[in-house]
Amino acid sequence: TKTYLNKFVQYASMEKEEFLKKLETELKISKNSPHTIRNYISANSQLIDFSKKKPEQIDEDNVKRFMAEKLAEKSSMSTILFLSAVKYAYFNLFKKDITSGIKRPKREKKIPVVLTKEEVKRLLEAFDNKKSKLMISLLYACGFRVSELVNLKIDNLNFNEKTGYVRQGKGKKDRMFNISDFLIDDLKKQVEKQKSENKEYLFSGLNNRMSERNIQKIVEKARVKAQIQKQVHPHTLRHSFATHLLESGVDIRKIQELLGHANLNTTEQYTHISTEQIKKVKSPIDTL
């Protein structure tokens, strides 16, 4: 209790920049991902700017006004993430929850966008650059999150076993993936190239590690060239990987392991979007 009191006195009055810096420290100590750190700092920064108050003066009414003006047209998930960011900041820095009286909206159950196998083929054929094609092929072949792809290191691959490991993926868990025979030769060449340049990561950009934003731009450029009308993001290839495995009869628990889902309920979303499974269902009129 004394420690908390001292901490409260220390943080009781501070300017925006100091508040955000201390929030960043708390987030890093708790081992949050760079993505979470960036989003939580951004949410609290926007709230302070909107309220035009010192951080410790912001209350529930300020949060509600921000939500009404800035989040009314956004998804339920955007509101939930915003409230989580504010709650984390104020509980850890001021030992109070200014969001406790605000009701959270229900999460929308959106069906993820999935590419057909033909669309995946067209997307991959749209690449002229071999490195870009290999990166996007891996997203689909292994069901990677984009953060997992950019953090993949040379020593995470074992060509003798045709396996690899995602180290400290979402939830700080390691998981194994299979290296496709289709990609193994190109991967070996990429590894040799990176080793010759003393690189640690399998794919590198200007600042050693390839940026997630760069991957997003590469996918969008290929989508336009392939004339695919659906919205396509790097995560779309992960959704497509899971759905196509399900359509080919792979057990859902195996898919759960391959995706690194902690909860089977997360994986079960793909049972609702498997169009090939739906197509196999015959109408009872056909048996009359």
Side-chain angles (χ1 to χ4, degrees):
T1 304
K2 188 176 180 182
T3 303
Y4 284 160
L5 184 60
N6 290 339
K7 193 173 185 180
F8 176 78
V9 171
Q10 179 188 353
Y11 291 174
S13 179
M14 64 179 84
E15 298 298 328
K16 173 188 170 183
E17 293 308 316
E18 184 186 2
F19 173 83
L20 295 178
K21 192 65 185 174
K22 289 184 183 298
L23 172 58
E24 182 181 9
T25 299
E26 294 289 337
L27 287 161
K28 286 182 175 178
I29 289 171
S30 300
K31 303 291 185 185
N32 285 282
S33 69
H35 180 75
T36 298
I37 293 171
R38 185 168 60 250
N39 285 346
Y40 275 32
I41 290 173
S42 175
N44 281 281
S45 176
Q46 289 177 57
L47 175 61
I48 294 168
D49 290 342
F50 175 83
S51 303
K52 295 182 172 60
K53 291 183 177 181
K54 286 191 174 183
E56 70 272 11
Q57 295 171 335
I58 293 174
D59 58 19
E60 183 180 301
D61 285 339
N62 298 128
V63 177
K64 285 182 175 179
R65 278 196 290 271
F66 179 91
M67 291 168 62
E69 290 197 29
K70 301 294 185 181
L71 299 176
E73 303 300 320
K74 298 288 180 102
S75 68
S76 295
M77 199 62 204
S78 296
T79 301
I80 292 167
L81 290 173
F82 169 76
L83 289 172
S84 296
V86 174
K87 178 180 178 179
Y88 183 95
Y90 279 79
F91 184 78
N92 281 279
L93 299 185
F94 297 127
K95 293 295 168 280
K96 63 180 180 180
D97 179 9
I98 61 175
T99 73
S100 60
I102 302 174
K103 188 176 180 180
R104 270 64 172 170
K106 288 184 177 180
R107 297 189 183 204
E108 300 117 331
K109 291 186 177 179
K110 288 187 177 179
I111 296 176
V113 174
V114 172
L115 300 178
T116 64
K117 289 182 180 178
E118 180 59 34
E119 286 170 332
V120 172
K121 187 177 179 181
R122 278 165 48 200
L123 187 76
L124 296 179
E125 287 175 347
F127 288 100
D128 296 321
N129 183 285
K130 287 184 178 180
K131 177 183 169 184
S132 295
K133 183 176 182 178
L134 180 58
M135 287 191 293
I136 307 311
S137 296
L138 270 176
L139 285 175
Y140 173 66
C142 303
F144 287 148
R145 300 175 179 95
V146 67
S147 59
E148 294 168 347
L149 177 73
V150 300
N151 285 303
L152 200 61
K153 295 181 179 179
I154 291 170
D155 59 11
N156 295 151
L157 304 177
N158 184 334
F159 289 120
N160 291 329
E161 297 289 334
K162 293 184 180 179
T163 59
Y165 282 89
V166 170
R167 300 297 184 188
Q168 297 294 289
K170 192 174 182 180
K172 305 297 180 185
K173 294 186 302 182
D174 291 353
R175 77 172 187 277
M176 189 181 81
F177 62 87
N178 296 318
I179 297 175
S180 165
D181 289 333
F182 182 73
L183 299 176
I184 199 161
D185 288 340
D186 289 334
L187 280 171
K188 285 179 178 179
K189 289 175 185 176
Q190 179 64 19
V191 166
E192 290 307 311
K193 176 182 174 294
Q194 293 297 87
K195 282 183 176 178
S196 69
E197 297 175 6
N198 295 315
K199 300 290 186 181
E200 177 184 14
Y201 292 96
L202 181 62
F203 301 105
S204 54
L206 294 175
N207 298 315
N208 189 22
R209 190 171 66 95
M210 181 70 67
S211 75
E212 294 182 24
R213 181 65 187 137
N214 201 0
I215 303 289
Q216 291 166 356
K217 288 178 180 177
I218 289 169
V219 170
E220 175 58 17
K221 188 177 178 181
R223 180 199 69 80
V224 172
K225 188 176 179 183
Q227 297 183 330
I228 296 171
Q229 302 306 312
K230 297 174 182 174
Q231 283 194 334
V232 183
H233 307 286
H235 216 72
T236 308
L237 291 157
R238 177 173 162 87
H239 291 319
S240 304
F241 163 83
T243 303
H244 296 164
L245 286 180
L246 189 66
E247 289 172 349
S248 64
V250 177
D251 183 81
I252 195 165
R253 292 193 178 275
K254 291 179 181 176
I255 298 173
Q256 178 190 2
E257 288 295 320
L258 289 168
L259 291 172
H261 286 160
N263 194 319
L264 185 62
N265 290 338
T266 310
T267 317
E268 284 178 341
Q269 68 180 306
Y270 298 109
T271 62
H272 304 298
I273 55 176
S274 180
T275 54
E276 291 304 313
Q277 297 283 13
I278 293 170
K279 288 176 186 175
K280 291 175 185 176
V281 179
K282 296 292 182 183
S283 169
I285 199 169
D286 293 332
T287 61
L288 291 181

